[in-house]
Amino acid sequence: MTYKELYNQIKKKRSFLCVGLDSDISKIPDCVKLKFGPENSQYEFNKAIVKATAKYAVAYKINTAFYESEGAQGFEQMTLTVKYIKKYYPEIFVIADAKRGDIGNTAEQYAKAFFEKMNFDAVTLSPYMGADAVMPFLKYKGKWAVILALTSNKSAEDFETLKVCSDPVGETSETEKKHGSDYLFEHVIKESVKWGDKNNIMFVVGATRPEKLAQIRTIAPDSFLLVPGVGAQGGNVNDVATHGMNGSCGLLVNSSRGIIFAGCDKNFAAAAQLQKQRNLRLKCLCL
Amino acid sequence: MTYKELYNQIKKKRSFLCVGLDSDISKIPDCVKLKFGPENSQYEFNKAIVKATAKYAVAYKINTAFYESEGAQGFEQMTLTVKYIKKYYPEIFVIADAKRGDIGNTAEQYAKAFFEKMNFDAVTLSPYMGADAVMPFLKYKGKWAVILALTSNKSAEDFETLKVCSDPVGETSETEKKHGSDYLFEHVIKESVKWGDKNNIMFVVGATRPEKLAQIRTIAPDSFLLVPGVGAQGGNVNDVATHGMNGSCGLLVNSSRGIIFAGCDKNFAAAAQLQKQRNLRLKCLCL
């Protein structure tokens, strides 16, 4: 999917929300498991959530961990979910929240897994190992690498917000003395924008740190930002819009648990839809 | 598996080598595919390699990308491989080279996937997101987190070897002025040794940078290091032993492509065994 196609969908739906399909089998309502069997319940649950929310959602983010924890069967449920979305809602952007990151020949295999074997539009990637871990994903036209920059979790402060010296011998340069050095996450963004462009690279920036969004916009003014951390993790969607939006919206704001598990009985899909509409009202204020 | 059990196996086999099962389906000999069908060929290939090398190997490292690229069927082949090794060679340490790294509730699901659903002894993890991404794995007794420190690939220099200031405001402290600041990979090791201990945390250090191993030994003298990059990537096993070995060996040296694809016809397993014995001779010099 192109940058323009994604932006057109955002304009059409007046929405920048992404629904996170963190479909933890232990939280899926019993009625789904009883009707379809536990082995099909992730896929059937996802189908119902997608049907209820596709009118408002511009993206779905599938968290691979919640499927891998069910083994090969879970992997199959994930594969079927992507297939379903791409068949019935081809205009919707589908992200594998996989946070992979490995050397070149391995990254090629992950790209094959997520872009060829399954038909995801994008994959989240960890930048720790550098360009090698990202470049193979950029060879696919119309596909995206979503690089972790500043994440929503507390321990993002362990390494992501360390100050780094771009000079490898570690001496403070005159520029750094004057302006201060970069945080690691800023350096990651500055380096990785060189590997591709706004048409194939996005960044993950947590909603729990909205004050950093404006700062990130000075480095990556045109890039899309995937923003998790709204809802269960405490981030506020209006703060995110205020600090992070650009002329093409430039935001995909994710909510997972707050939407998909809004209801815990047979009305779970309707509850998710209602929750989505509530979120949508917030969004419409911004667009 | 405990630290002591791992060390005992190393002493018994006089070997610190780990065989990487990067079983790229396109490189598996045709005879395997013809006999067992392409859908079973990764598992059958792995079984033959394991049978031929288990006498000499202390660990197997399964690179998840090469299975995920075959979809749910590949995921099943990976699961069966772990089951096979654990059934017939329970003394051998089995690592999921998965390089996962996500927030707490997601990391819990990955731990469930690799330690409960499959019976891996260890998982490789990316430290970018900090302690949250690692802690859930440390709750499992006898299981290990293998944290990326200094990897074997060229673009490890993009971020891993940046100099960092541990002071978050980025000012150079008196200590840093005197001794110089840490590289990011050193800071990762210094921080993460606090999360667990030598009994449940290892570090990945590439064989392509043996000069850094001695330096790492001053920070993590007792930890096991998983060392990829020997063979196809150009690292030298003797250099690794010289700089990285400690009193309990403390090394698992991985070779993947150089061993498992040493032969490309029906004698592929014998070729892998021969290659392993060659490597073993190198190892015996060191133990």
Side-chain angles (χ1 to χ4, degrees):
Chain A
M1 188 178 296
T2 66
Y3 188 99
K4 200 176 169 191
E5 285 165 344
L6 181 56
Y7 178 43
N8 284 344
Q9 198 202 162
I10 289 171
K11 278 195 293 187
K12 187 179 156 198
K13 291 186 177 169
R14 295 183 63 78
S15 166
F16 54 33
L17 276 208
C18 170
V19 176
L21 298 171
D22 297 13
S23 303
D24 183 343
I25 204 159
S26 70
K27 292 183 184 154
I28 290 178
D30 288 340
C31 59
V32 180
K33 292 177 199 162
L34 281 168
K35 188 169 177 187
F36 301 103
E39 69 281 10
N40 301 309
S41 63
Q42 287 182 303
Y43 174 53
E44 294 295 338
F45 175 79
N46 288 346
K47 264 169 61 178
I49 293 286
V50 170
K51 275 183 199 168
T53 57
K55 198 173 163 187
Y56 316 105
V58 294
Y60 289 101
K61 179 170 78 63
I62 296 182
N63 183 330
T64 56
F66 289 88
Y67 302 87
E68 291 179 28
S69 61
E70 299 306 311
Q73 185 181 285
F75 211 88
E76 180 66 15
Q77 300 275 292
M78 168 167 70
T79 308
L80 289 171
T81 301
V82 187
K83 202 171 171 185
Y84 173 81
I85 301 171
K86 281 293 166 194
K87 182 172 179 184
Y88 293 102
Y89 308 99
E91 77 286 3
I92 296 189
F93 194 72
V94 188
I95 304 162
D97 193 4
K99 299 191 174 69
R100 302 299 196 260
D102 213 314
I103 62 171
N105 79 318
T106 301
E108 280 171 15
Q109 295 291 321
Y110 282 128
K112 186 182 160 196
F114 291 107
F115 293 160
E116 293 184 39
K117 201 77 187 175
M118 295 178 277
N119 189 15
F120 282 102
D121 295 297
V123 185
T124 58
L125 300 174
S126 169
Y128 189 76
M129 292 176 67
D132 297 341
V134 174
M135 300 308 285
F137 294 87
L138 304 180
K139 289 181 191 160
Y140 289 78
K141 202 169 179 295
K143 303 284 186 182
W144 300 67
V146 187
I147 299 171
L148 300 183
L150 182 62
T151 56
S152 56
N153 59 314
K154 188 158 183 345
S155 73
E157 288 162 19
D158 284 347
F159 308 121
E160 294 172 22
T161 58
L162 287 172
K163 287 277 189 175
V164 299
C165 313
S166 48
D167 175 358
V169 296
E171 284 172 8
T172 313
S173 68
E174 286 308 312
T175 318
E176 281 169 349
K177 274 181 194 155
K178 200 171 166 191
H179 300 288
S181 53
D182 284 337
Y183 291 111
L184 176 59
F185 74 86
E186 292 177 304
H187 192 76
V188 163
I189 297 172
K190 285 181 184 176
E191 280 301 301
S192 52
V193 290
K194 299 173 192 166
W195 306 336
D197 57 38
K198 68 168 190 173
N199 297 298
N200 57 7
I201 289 182
M202 298 187 184
F203 296 100
V204 173
V205 182
T208 49
R209 302 168 205 281
E211 75 286 359
K212 291 284 193 293
L213 275 164
Q215 192 178 335
I216 286 168
R217 276 292 174 224
T218 66
I219 316 171
D222 301 322
S223 302
F224 262 95
L225 306 179
L226 172 62
V227 185
V230 162
Q233 291 181 63
N236 179 291
V237 71
N238 282 331
D239 290 346
V240 169
T242 305
H243 297 288
M245 202 173 266
N246 66 15
S248 304
C249 181
L251 293 173
L252 293 175
V253 180
N254 184 77
S255 179
S256 301
R257 289 167 273 181
I259 289 176
I260 68 170
F261 298 125
C264 57
D265 58 10
K266 65 180 180 175
N267 297 315
F268 72 92
Q273 187 174 57
L274 187 67
Q275 196 61 25
K276 191 102 207 73
Q277 284 170 325
R278 281 190 192 132
N279 286 334
L280 188 70
R281 279 201 289 278
L282 287 171
K283 286 170 293 170
C284 289
L285 296 173
C286 319
L287 286 175
Chain B
M1 190 176 297
T2 66
Y3 189 98
K4 201 178 166 189
E5 284 165 344
L6 182 56
Y7 178 43
N8 283 344
Q9 198 202 164
I10 290 171
K11 278 195 292 186
K12 188 179 155 197
K13 291 185 177 170
R14 295 181 63 80
S15 165
F16 53 33
L17 276 209
C18 171
V19 176
L21 298 171
D22 296 15
S23 305
D24 183 343
I25 204 159
S26 71
K27 291 183 184 154
I28 289 178
D30 287 341
C31 58
V32 180
K33 292 177 199 162
L34 282 168
K35 188 170 177 188
F36 300 103
E39 70 281 11
N40 301 309
S41 63
Q42 286 181 302
Y43 173 53
E44 295 294 340
F45 176 78
N46 288 346
K47 263 170 59 181
I49 293 286
V50 170
K51 275 183 199 169
T53 58
K55 198 174 162 186
Y56 317 103
V58 294
Y60 289 101
K61 180 169 77 63
I62 296 183
N63 184 329
T64 57
F66 289 89
Y67 302 88
E68 291 180 28
S69 61
E70 299 305 312
Q73 185 183 283
F75 211 87
E76 180 66 13
Q77 301 275 294
M78 170 168 66
T79 308
L80 289 171
T81 301
V82 187
K83 202 171 171 185
Y84 173 81
I85 301 172
K86 282 294 167 194
K87 183 172 177 185
Y88 293 102
Y89 308 98
E91 77 286 2
I92 297 188
F93 194 72
V94 189
I95 304 162
D97 193 5
K99 299 191 175 69
R100 303 299 197 259
D102 212 315
I103 61 171
N105 78 319
T106 301
E108 280 170 15
Q109 295 291 321
Y110 281 128
K112 185 181 161 197
F114 291 107
F115 293 160
E116 293 184 39
K117 201 77 187 176
M118 295 177 278
N119 189 16
F120 282 103
D121 295 297
V123 186
T124 58
L125 300 173
S126 169
Y128 188 76
M129 293 175 69
D132 297 343
V134 175
M135 298 309 284
F137 294 87
L138 304 181
K139 289 181 191 160
Y140 289 78
K141 203 169 176 309
K143 303 285 187 181
W144 299 68
V146 186
I147 300 172
L148 299 183
L150 182 61
T151 56
S152 55
N153 58 315
K154 188 160 183 343
S155 74
E157 287 162 20
D158 285 347
F159 308 122
E160 295 170 22
T161 57
L162 286 173
K163 286 277 189 177
V164 299
C165 312
S166 49
D167 175 359
V169 297
E171 284 172 8
T172 312
S173 68
E174 286 307 311
T175 318
E176 281 169 350
K177 273 181 195 155
K178 199 172 166 191
H179 301 288
S181 54
D182 283 338
Y183 291 111
L184 176 60
F185 74 87
E186 291 175 307
H187 192 76
V188 163
I189 297 172
K190 285 181 183 175
E191 280 302 301
S192 52
V193 289
K194 300 174 192 166
W195 306 335
D197 56 37
K198 69 168 190 174
N199 298 297
N200 59 7
I201 289 182
M202 297 186 186
F203 297 99
V204 173
V205 182
T208 49
R209 300 167 208 279
E211 76 286 359
K212 291 283 194 294
L213 275 165
Q215 194 177 333
I216 286 168
R217 276 290 173 224
T218 66
I219 317 170
D222 301 322
S223 302
F224 262 95
L225 306 178
L226 172 63
V227 186
V230 162
Q233 291 181 62
N236 178 291
V237 72
N238 282 330
D239 290 346
V240 169
T242 304
H243 297 288
M245 202 174 267
N246 66 15
S248 304
C249 181
L251 294 172
L252 292 174
V253 180
N254 185 76
S255 178
S256 302
R257 288 167 273 180
I259 289 176
I260 69 170
F261 297 124
C264 57
D265 58 11
K266 65 180 177 170
N267 298 316
F268 72 91
Q273 188 174 54
L274 186 67
Q275 196 62 25
K276 191 103 208 71
Q277 285 170 323
R278 280 189 193 134
N279 285 333
L280 188 70
R281 277 201 289 279
L282 287 171
K283 285 170 293 166
C284 288
L285 295 174
C286 319
L287 285 175

